[in-house]
Amino acid sequence: MSISVPKMKTVYTDKTLDLAVLSVDDNNFKSFGELPYSFKKSIADPGEKVYTLGFPREDLVYGEGSISSYTGFEGDTASYQVSIPVNPGNSGGPLFDGQGNLLGIISGRNASAEGASFAIKSKWISESIVTGK
C-alpha cells in the first residue's frame, strides 16, 4: 500500500525547544477535519497516566506510562520526566493524557537511567508559538 505524503512548509521554529511547526502546502491535500485533541494548559501531576504514538520502526508504535516528575533532565522546568519506553523515532511525537489532550512532545531519554524519558511541556510549546519567542 502506498501512502501519499503532502508537501509541507515550515511556519515556525524554536531552536531552544528543538521544535518546528509545519503547515500543509499541497492543493491536493484533504483536510483532517476537526482534530480530537487540544493543548493542555495546566501542568500534569506525577503519577498521571500518559500515552505516546511514534514511528521508531516502520509502523506506528503505541506506548503508555506516567508522569514521573514535574521537571525534565537536570531540573529543566520546560519538560517533564516520564516513565514510558522511548526509542529513536519517538522524538518529536506527542505525549497525550487520558482525555486525548496534548501534554507535550517527546524530546529524548536518559541513556544512563532505564525508563527515564523526557517531554517538552505543552504549556511551553503553546506559549512559544503564540509569543514567537
Side-chain angles (χ1 to χ4, degrees), residues 2-117:
S2 174
I3 297 175
S4 176
V5 178
K7 295 176 190 166
M8 308 294 280
K9 68 179 178 180
T10 303
V11 295
Y12 174 79
T13 60
D14 183 320
K15 292 182 186 209
T16 305
L17 296 177
D18 191 21
L19 176 72
V21 176
L22 306 176
S23 174
V24 177
D25 190 22
D26 189 334
N27 292 333
N28 296 320
F29 177 73
K30 306 282 188 265
S31 171
F32 289 121
E34 187 175 333
L35 297 176
Y37 59 86
S38 64
F39 281 73
K40 184 169 183 174
K41 304 286 189 222
S42 61
I43 299 298
D45 292 318
E48 184 171 341
K49 293 288 184 192
V50 293
Y51 309 91
T52 59
L53 295 172
F55 288 90
R57 303 186 323 237
E58 292 296 318
D59 53 345
L60 180 67
V61 175
Y62 165 84
E64 53 182 270
S66 61
I67 298 289
S68 301
S69 175
Y70 288 117
T71 59
F73 187 68
E74 297 182 345
D76 179 9
T77 59
S79 298
Y80 294 112
Q81 179 176 321
V82 294
S83 60
I84 198 164
V86 169
N87 299 294
N90 279 111
S91 294
L95 180 72
F96 294 111
D97 67 10
Q99 289 72 47
N101 296 307
L102 183 73
L103 294 178
I105 301 290
I106 299 297
S107 58
R109 65 182 176 156
N110 184 344
S112 64
E114 184 145 346
S117 304

